[in-house]
Amino acid sequence: MGRKTVLVKKIDVKGTLLAIRVGKSKTIKTRDIKASSIRSAVRRLNLEFPCSFEATEDGLIDEVKVTRLK
C-alpha cells in the first residue's frame, strides 16, 4: 500500500521541432530533451520533410539551439 505509481512524461521531439516557425530559433534545455535526441530528430526531419533545421551546442552550457531554416 505504501508504493505510489510513477507517472512517465514523454516529450514529442519531432512535434516540438516542427512547432518552431520558419526563420526562428529556440533554445532547448538538455534536462528537458537530451542533445542526442534533438540531433537525431533534426537529421530525420531534414531527410523526411521539406524543411531544414540546424542544431548547435556551440557556446552553450546545458542547452541546444535549434533553428528552422525553411
Side-chain angles (χ1 to χ4, degrees), residues 1-43:
M1 187 89 181
R3 293 193 175 205
K4 287 186 174 182
T5 301
V6 178
L7 300 177
V8 176
K9 179 177 86 170
K10 183 165 177 150
I11 296 174
D12 180 16
V13 181
K14 183 176 165 183
T16 301
L17 297 179
L18 287 173
I20 299 173
R21 293 183 174 264
V22 175
K24 300 290 182 179
S25 296
K26 295 290 181 185
T27 303
I28 302 171
K29 298 278 188 187
T30 55
R31 72 167 184 254
D32 298 328
I33 305 173
K34 294 190 304 184
S36 59
S37 297
I38 294 171
R39 285 192 305 270
S40 295
V42 164
R43 183 177 175 279

Side-chain angles (χ1 to χ4, degrees), residues 19-69:
I20 299 173
R21 293 183 174 264
V22 175
K24 300 290 182 179
S25 296
K26 295 290 181 185
T27 303
I28 302 171
K29 298 278 188 187
T30 55
R31 72 167 184 254
D32 298 328
I33 305 173
K34 294 190 304 184
S36 59
S37 297
I38 294 171
R39 285 192 305 270
S40 295
V42 164
R43 183 177 175 279
R44 282 193 310 269
L45 287 172
N46 286 341
L47 292 174
E48 294 175 12
F49 290 93
C51 58
S52 180
F53 289 92
E54 183 178 88
T56 182
E57 296 176 74
D58 295 343
L60 302 172
I61 299 172
D62 298 330
E63 295 177 328
V64 178
K65 183 177 180 182
V66 180
T67 305
R68 185 169 182 178
L69 303 172

